[in-house]
Amino acid sequence: KLSALDLGARLAWSFDAADRDLPDVVAIGGRVVAIAMRFAVGLDADALGFVIGFGRADVGTGPCRAAMNPFEPTRKAALASLDQFLPRAGGRYEVQRNYDFGPDRRDNISMLSPYIRHRLLSEQQVVAATLGVHSPMVAEKFVQEVFWRTYWKGWLQQRPTVWQQYLTDLEYQTSRKIYGLDAAYNGETGIECFDEWVTELRTTGYLHNHARMWFASIWIFTLRLPWQVGADFFLRHLFDGDPAANTLSWRWVAGLQ
């Protein structure tokens, strides 16, 4: 009988293989390098650098703009960020993680997701390092959050029709005129918090997890915009944009997951 920690650790080892079946990913030598080539068409050298690094150039269904990159896309920077966060991965993280203090104060969360998404860090490495500093009980909440990434990937890999249906729905939704979509894209809805999040997302390529949920809720239930288009907007901007976690989280907010 496996404990939650053992099960999560075993599942995490399958991440690289799972990524190979998801879009915009090329597997090289067992490591996954995220190279979204479809975003590179028509971009200048600076914008292309964001694409091959952590960036999402905003092309396709929305206005074209590349976000500033607050993350250095190197293994060295990833390890340094992990080391800096480890002392805070215990009780402090559990108590403070749900507070969004703004883009200039992120010391209550790990900020490791872009490095994990692009395989500069692995889930098993992050968990092992965390448990080398904290007991499983003290670090339980942070470890759970890491395992959610494993869960979402495994769930979607076993249900490929969910991803295909999302792509089909997205193609339909973006082929028609959607009232209010341009205002949402540009942060001009008149809903102050939402418009601020749009600016933050497009400027930094990152949003706090709770801000993402609030953003999605307003997008779907207040602005009444298709969730598929909102998920695509996130995926094209977030440095940690992951097809599984992003799509299924939007489905969850929409009441479908």
Side-chain angles (χ1 to χ4, degrees):
K1 193 172 182 180
L2 295 176
S3 68
L5 286 175
D6 288 334
L7 178 59
R10 293 191 184 189
L11 286 172
W13 286 104
S14 67
F15 260 50
D16 284 351
D19 257 337
R20 296 170 198 167
D21 295 328
L22 294 175
D24 300 332
V25 173
V26 178
I28 300 177
R31 295 187 62 191
V32 177
V33 181
I35 305 177
M37 294 306 296
R38 65 188 175 93
F39 295 121
V41 179
L43 298 180
D44 58 23
D46 289 338
L48 180 59
F50 285 112
V51 174
I52 296 178
F54 284 155
R56 293 290 189 202
D58 187 4
V59 300
T61 57
C64 182
R65 183 184 304 172
M68 294 187 302
N69 190 345
F71 301 95
E72 179 185 342
T74 66
R75 169 76 167 167
K76 180 179 179 180
L79 292 173
S81 295
L82 175 59
D83 287 342
Q84 291 171 5
F85 171 69
L86 286 177
R88 308 192 304 271
R92 178 180 175 184
Y93 174 83
E94 182 175 7
V95 171
Q96 296 187 0
R97 70 185 184 89
N98 288 334
Y99 293 94
D100 183 1
F101 297 119
D104 297 326
R105 183 186 166 188
R106 295 295 190 206
D107 59 350
N108 61 317
I109 53 178
S110 77
M111 298 291 286
L112 296 175
S113 53
Y115 299 113
I116 296 173
R117 169 64 183 94
H118 295 279
R119 314 316 290 163
L120 293 172
L121 292 173
S122 68
E123 291 77 12
Q124 58 266 33
Q125 180 180 16
V126 171
V127 170
T130 301
L131 296 181
V133 176
H134 303 281
S135 70
M137 181 176 295
V138 170
E140 180 179 14
K141 178 53 64 176
F142 177 66
V143 171
Q144 287 176 349
E145 295 303 310
V146 176
F147 286 171
W148 269 112
R149 298 181 62 87
T150 309
Y151 173 78
W152 287 134
K153 282 182 178 285
W155 194 96
L156 188 59
Q157 187 181 28
Q158 295 181 53
R159 299 166 178 82
T161 56
V162 172
W163 175 255
Q164 292 302 324
Q165 186 62 55
Y166 161 72
L167 294 179
T168 299
D169 293 344
L170 178 62
E171 183 177 7
Y172 165 72
Q173 296 291 358
T174 54
S175 69
R176 66 189 186 93
K177 179 67 174 179
I178 302 176
Y179 176 78
L181 182 59
D182 287 342
Y185 275 152
N186 295 316
E188 299 172 347
T189 66
I191 302 173
E192 185 175 359
C193 61
F194 183 92
D195 294 345
E196 287 292 330
W197 288 327
V198 170
T199 299
E200 182 180 343
L201 175 60
R202 295 177 60 132
T203 302
T204 70
Y206 190 87
L207 283 179
H208 185 280
N209 182 56
H210 272 218
R212 300 182 195 198
M213 291 189 287
W214 298 326
F215 184 109
S217 180
I218 293 172
W219 180 285
I220 297 169
F221 299 110
T222 302
L223 300 178
R224 299 194 176 277
L225 296 172
W227 73 264
Q228 298 91 341
V229 181
D232 178 65
F233 186 60
F234 266 22
L235 191 60
R236 290 184 290 107
H237 283 83
L238 290 169
F239 289 146
D240 62 3
D242 176 271
N246 183 67
T247 305
L248 300 182
S249 293
W250 274 84
R251 281 172 51 89
W252 179 78
V253 174
L256 302 173
Q257 191 64 28

